[in-house]
Amino acid sequence: LGYKDMCRVITETNGSKKVSENNIEKVSDWIPCSERMPELGVPVLVIGGSTAWVDKAYDSDDGISFYEDNYGRATQWMPLPEMPEVKE
């Protein structure tokens, strides 16, 4: 599933996860830029319109902005997931 369709199982049957339209719930960790911005310099996932990208916030003369958001299209952001543990 893509980021728009992130789902989690909210019920379990007989100890095993059973996925269907009836037992999944949309999960949204998106934070509106109008509510708060991320910590400066920390990579986050940003969305604007139908585009998503990884970016960092910085302090500009107009307030906090994203480096790659040249047109002010960013509407929401979310923290990146933890990196997986790599076994060598």
Side-chain angles (χ1 to χ4, degrees):
L1 295 173
Y3 69 89
K4 288 183 180 179
D5 298 313
M6 289 186 295
C7 297
R8 102 178 141 222
V9 175
I10 59 172
T11 61
E12 293 187 13
T13 305
N14 296 329
S16 63
K17 293 180 180 176
K18 180 179 178 182
V19 179
S20 73
E21 285 186 33
N22 296 330
N23 67 355
I24 58 175
E25 174 183 323
K26 298 279 183 182
V27 175
S28 179
D29 293 325
W30 291 105
I31 300 164
C33 296
S34 60
E35 286 184 15
R36 71 179 166 103
M37 291 293 281
E39 184 178 334
L40 301 178
V42 176
V44 295
L45 184 59
V46 181
I47 190 169
S50 62
T51 305
W53 66 96
V54 174
D55 209 339
K56 295 178 183 178
Y58 72 99
D59 196 358
S60 71
D61 294 335
D62 297 327
I64 297 175
S65 300
F66 291 105
Y67 283 106
E68 300 297 324
D69 189 21
N70 299 328
Y71 302 105
R73 66 189 188 277
T75 57
Q76 299 174 19
W77 63 276
M78 73 167 46
L80 293 174
E82 294 291 322
M83 295 293 288
E85 186 177 319
V86 178
K87 295 181 182 180
E88 295 182 23

